[in-house]
CSV table of all heavy atoms in Angstrom, one decimal:
chain,number,residue,atom,x,y,z
W,120,LEU,N,55.4,30.5,92.4
W,120,LEU,CA,56.7,30.5,91.6
W,120,LEU,C,57.8,29.6,92.3
W,120,LEU,O,57.9,29.6,93.6
W,120,LEU,CB,57.2,31.9,91.4
W,120,LEU,CG,56.3,32.8,90.4
W,120,LEU,CD1,56.8,34.2,90.4
W,120,LEU,CD2,56.2,32.2,89.1
W,121,ASP,N,58.6,29.0,91.5
W,121,ASP,CA,59.7,28.2,92.1
W,121,ASP,C,60.8,29.2,92.6
W,121,ASP,O,60.8,30.4,92.2
W,121,ASP,CB,60.3,27.2,91.1
W,121,ASP,CG,60.9,27.9,89.9
W,121,ASP,OD1,62.0,28.5,90.0
W,121,ASP,OD2,60.2,28.0,88.9
W,122,GLU,N,61.7,28.7,93.4
W,122,GLU,CA,62.7,29.5,94.1
W,122,GLU,C,63.6,30.3,93.1
W,122,GLU,O,63.9,31.4,93.4
W,122,GLU,CB,63.5,28.6,95.1
W,122,GLU,CG,64.6,29.4,95.9
W,122,GLU,CD,64.0,30.3,96.9
W,122,GLU,OE1,62.8,30.0,97.3
W,122,GLU,OE2,64.7,31.1,97.4
W,123,SER,N,64.0,29.5,92.1
W,123,SER,CA,64.9,30.3,91.1
W,123,SER,C,64.2,31.4,90.5
W,123,SER,O,64.9,32.4,90.3
W,123,SER,CB,65.5,29.2,90.1
W,123,SER,OG,64.5,28.7,89.3
W,124,THR,N,63.0,31.2,90.1
W,124,THR,CA,62.3,32.4,89.4
W,124,THR,C,62.1,33.5,90.4
W,124,THR,O,62.3,34.7,90.0
W,124,THR,CB,61.0,31.8,88.9
W,124,THR,OG1,61.1,30.7,88.1
W,124,THR,CG2,60.2,33.0,88.2
W,125,ILE,N,61.8,33.3,91.7
W,125,ILE,CA,61.6,34.3,92.6
W,125,ILE,C,62.9,35.1,92.8
W,125,ILE,O,63.0,36.3,92.8
W,125,ILE,CB,61.2,33.7,94.0
W,125,ILE,CG1,59.8,33.2,93.9
W,125,ILE,CG2,61.4,34.8,95.1
W,125,ILE,CD1,59.3,32.6,95.2
W,126,LYS,N,64.1,34.4,92.8
W,126,LYS,CA,65.4,35.0,93.0
W,126,LYS,C,65.7,35.9,91.7
W,126,LYS,O,66.2,37.0,91.8
W,126,LYS,CB,66.5,34.0,93.1
W,126,LYS,CG,66.4,33.2,94.5
W,126,LYS,CD,66.6,34.2,95.7
W,126,LYS,CE,66.8,33.3,97.0
W,126,LYS,NZ,66.9,34.2,98.2
W,127,ILE,N,65.3,35.3,90.6
W,127,ILE,CA,65.6,36.1,89.3
W,127,ILE,C,64.8,37.4,89.3
W,127,ILE,O,65.3,38.5,89.0
W,127,ILE,CB,65.4,35.2,88.1
W,127,ILE,CG1,66.5,34.1,88.0
W,127,ILE,CG2,65.4,36.1,86.8
W,127,ILE,CD1,66.1,33.1,86.9
W,128,MET,N,63.5,37.3,89.6
W,128,MET,CA,62.6,38.4,89.6
W,128,MET,C,63.1,39.5,90.6
W,128,MET,O,63.1,40.7,90.4
W,128,MET,CB,61.2,38.1,89.8
W,128,MET,CG,60.6,37.1,88.7
W,128,MET,SD,58.9,36.7,89.0
W,128,MET,CE,58.1,38.3,88.9
W,129,SER,N,63.4,39.0,91.8
W,129,SER,CA,63.9,39.9,92.8
W,129,SER,C,65.3,40.6,92.4
W,129,SER,O,65.4,41.9,92.6
W,129,SER,CB,64.2,39.1,94.1
W,129,SER,OG,64.8,40.0,95.1
W,130,ARG,N,66.1,39.9,91.8
W,130,ARG,CA,67.4,40.5,91.4
W,130,ARG,C,67.1,41.6,90.3
W,130,ARG,O,67.8,42.7,90.2
W,130,ARG,CB,68.4,39.5,90.8
W,130,ARG,CG,68.9,38.6,91.9
W,130,ARG,CD,70.1,37.7,91.3
W,130,ARG,NE,70.5,36.7,92.4
W,130,ARG,CZ,70.2,35.4,92.3
W,130,ARG,NH1,69.6,35.0,91.2
W,130,ARG,NH2,70.6,34.6,93.2
W,131,ILE,N,66.2,41.3,89.4
W,131,ILE,CA,65.8,42.3,88.3
W,131,ILE,C,65.4,43.6,88.9
W,131,ILE,O,65.9,44.7,88.5
W,131,ILE,CB,64.7,41.7,87.4
W,131,ILE,CG1,65.4,40.6,86.6
W,131,ILE,CG2,64.2,42.8,86.5
W,131,ILE,CD1,64.4,39.9,85.8
W,132,LYS,N,64.5,43.5,89.9
W,132,LYS,CA,63.9,44.7,90.6
W,132,LYS,C,65.0,45.4,91.4
W,132,LYS,O,65.2,46.7,91.4
W,132,LYS,CB,62.8,44.4,91.5
W,132,LYS,CG,61.5,43.9,90.7
W,132,LYS,CD,61.0,44.8,89.6
W,132,LYS,CE,59.8,44.5,89.0
W,132,LYS,NZ,59.8,43.2,88.2
W,133,LEU,N,65.9,44.7,92.1
W,133,LEU,CA,66.9,45.3,92.8
W,133,LEU,C,67.9,46.0,91.9
W,133,LEU,O,68.4,47.1,92.3
W,133,LEU,CB,67.6,44.2,93.7
W,133,LEU,CG,66.8,43.7,94.9
W,133,LEU,CD1,67.6,42.5,95.5
W,133,LEU,CD2,66.6,44.8,95.9
W,134,GLU,N,68.1,45.4,90.7
W,134,GLU,CA,69.1,46.1,89.7
W,134,GLU,C,68.5,47.4,89.3
W,134,GLU,O,69.2,48.4,89.2
W,134,GLU,CB,69.2,45.2,88.6
W,134,GLU,CG,70.3,45.6,87.6
W,134,GLU,CD,71.7,45.4,88.1
W,134,GLU,OE1,72.0,44.4,88.8
W,134,GLU,OE2,72.6,46.3,87.7
W,135,VAL,N,67.2,47.4,89.0
W,135,VAL,CA,66.5,48.6,88.6
W,135,VAL,C,66.6,49.7,89.7
W,135,VAL,O,66.8,50.9,89.4
W,135,VAL,CB,65.0,48.4,88.3
W,135,VAL,CG1,64.2,49.7,88.1
W,135,VAL,CG2,64.8,47.5,87.1
W,136,MET,N,66.5,49.3,91.0
W,136,MET,CA,66.6,50.2,92.1
W,136,MET,C,68.0,50.6,92.6
W,136,MET,O,68.2,51.2,93.6
W,136,MET,CB,65.8,49.7,93.2
W,136,MET,CG,64.4,49.3,92.9
W,136,MET,SD,63.3,50.7,92.4
W,136,MET,CE,61.9,49.9,91.8
W,137,ASN,N,69.0,50.1,91.8
W,137,ASN,CA,70.4,50.3,92.2
W,137,ASN,C,70.8,49.7,93.5
W,137,ASN,O,71.5,50.3,94.3
W,137,ASN,CB,70.7,51.8,92.3
W,137,ASN,CG,70.6,52.4,90.8
W,137,ASN,OD1,71.0,51.9,89.8
W,137,ASN,ND2,70.0,53.6,90.8
W,138,LEU,N,70.1,48.6,93.8
W,138,LEU,CA,70.3,47.8,95.1
W,138,LEU,C,71.0,46.4,95.0
W,138,LEU,O,71.1,45.7,95.8
W,138,LEU,CB,69.0,47.7,95.9
W,138,LEU,CG,68.4,48.9,96.5
W,138,LEU,CD1,66.9,48.7,97.0
W,138,LEU,CD2,69.3,49.5,97.5
W,139,ALA,N,71.5,46.2,93.7
W,139,ALA,CA,72.2,44.9,93.5
W,139,ALA,C,73.4,44.8,94.3
W,139,ALA,O,74.1,45.7,94.5
W,139,ALA,CB,72.5,44.8,91.9
Side-chain angles (χ1 to χ4, degrees):
L120 295 172
D121 60 80
E122 184 68 18
S123 62
T124 302
I125 289 176
K126 292 294 185 184
I127 289 171
M128 292 180 67
S129 175
R130 290 191 189 108
I131 290 172
K132 294 302 189 294
L133 289 172
E134 188 73 37
V135 171
M136 304 299 168
N137 299 319
L138 289 171

